[in-house]
Amino acid sequence: MSKPKQQNSTTQPKQSGPAKKKAPVSPSPERRSELLAIAADVFAEQGYNATTVRKIADAAGMLAGSLYYHFDSKESMLEEILSTFLTELWDGYDTVLQSQLGPRETLEALVTESFREIDRHRSAVAIYQKESKQLVAQARFQYLADSQQRFEKAWLTTLERGVAESIFRDDLDIRLAYRFVRDTVWVAASWYRPGGGHSPEEIARQYLSMVLDGIAVRT
């Protein structure tokens, strides 16, 4: 009589369908902000056209391919850098312009807000100054031209109000004064360093004391 066949004691695991893929982990906002700050410094120092994704990745201490996990191109990085700067600038400017201040107070507040933005976004300001004329030829950067028009209107209107209300001299060349104040303020991005010996507010106060002594009505 033959022995019954022994059953295999090892049971096979049941198939429960295809294995589920893990959902990709989104980059943290903090890491994105850090990489954008690094990219802004590289763009400001080397110029947009001369900057490659590899150069940004090298400055960030990562592989170039890894940077594409966070951004699809250097154009996207630049757009986010500049749009973030201008959004914050206009948040501050609009608050000033809607506050119904007098012309002199409005001018003082706009200058102070400008220096605060230089403190927050020094590299973005430098990029804007160097690259905006070339960038506006691209459709995705058309907002730079729109912002420039708003900027000019805000400052010219403030100066015109000052002359009309006899706060500023009636012989003031409005457009020339606008260009002088604009360039005097924003060129500071070329030398200003956050955390230096003067706060943005202190630098603004010093600038304003020099500028307004030249355009205020003589008494």
Side-chain angles (χ1 to χ4, degrees):
M1 186 173 182
S2 62
K3 295 181 180 180
K5 293 182 180 179
Q6 293 183 347
Q7 297 292 329
N8 192 341
S9 61
T10 303
T11 58
Q12 298 295 324
K14 294 182 179 180
Q15 296 293 328
S16 57
K20 294 182 179 180
K21 294 182 179 180
K22 292 183 179 180
V25 179
S26 300
S28 69
E30 293 78 12
R31 182 55 173 163
R32 281 181 61 86
S33 296
E34 179 185 357
L35 291 174
L36 286 171
I38 292 170
D41 289 343
V42 178
F43 284 138
E45 180 180 346
Q46 300 188 21
Y48 174 67
N49 288 333
T51 298
T52 62
V53 171
R54 181 176 295 279
K55 287 182 179 180
I56 298 171
D58 288 345
M62 62 194 302
L63 296 174
S66 299
L67 197 59
Y68 286 109
Y69 177 62
H70 302 271
F71 307 95
D72 61 13
S73 65
K74 73 170 189 176
E75 289 83 0
S76 295
M77 299 184 77
L78 181 64
E79 184 176 7
E80 190 165 342
I81 290 165
L82 293 177
S83 63
T84 298
F85 153 59
L86 289 175
T87 296
E88 289 191 16
L89 177 69
W90 279 107
D91 284 346
Y93 272 19
D94 286 341
T95 298
V96 171
L97 296 171
Q98 293 166 11
S99 297
Q100 298 183 334
L101 301 171
R104 179 176 178 128
E105 292 75 18
T106 298
L107 182 64
E108 291 172 341
L110 289 175
V111 168
T112 301
E113 191 60 39
S114 298
F115 277 107
R116 287 174 178 155
E117 287 306 310
I118 292 172
D119 181 67
R120 297 185 189 111
H121 299 288
R122 186 191 66 82
S123 291
V125 173
I127 297 166
Y128 181 88
Q129 291 175 326
K130 294 177 184 177
E131 311 285 356
S132 59
K133 288 183 179 179
Q134 288 73 37
L135 290 172
V136 293
Q138 303 179 39
R140 72 186 301 171
F141 291 105
Q142 181 58 46
Y143 67 90
L144 298 178
D146 298 337
S147 180
Q148 176 58 37
Q149 292 175 0
R150 289 179 63 197
F151 184 92
E152 183 173 307
K153 181 179 179 181
W155 286 78
L156 288 176
T157 300
T158 301
L159 291 167
E160 289 167 353
R161 280 204 304 132
V163 171
E165 297 176 22
S166 298
I167 303 299
F168 305 145
R169 296 190 340 237
D170 60 6
D171 64 341
L172 190 68
D173 184 317
I174 300 297
R175 189 162 291 276
L176 185 60
Y178 155 68
R179 289 172 177 166
F180 172 75
V181 175
R182 176 198 64 189
D183 294 347
T184 300
V185 170
W186 292 103
V187 76
S190 65
W191 56 262
Y192 179 80
R193 294 295 180 273
H198 299 285
S199 68
E201 292 77 12
E202 173 61 18
I203 295 175
R205 189 184 69 79
Q206 293 286 345
Y207 266 58
L208 285 163
S209 70
M210 292 182 281
V211 170
L212 291 174
D213 285 343
I215 67 174
V217 171
R218 296 185 179 90
T219 57

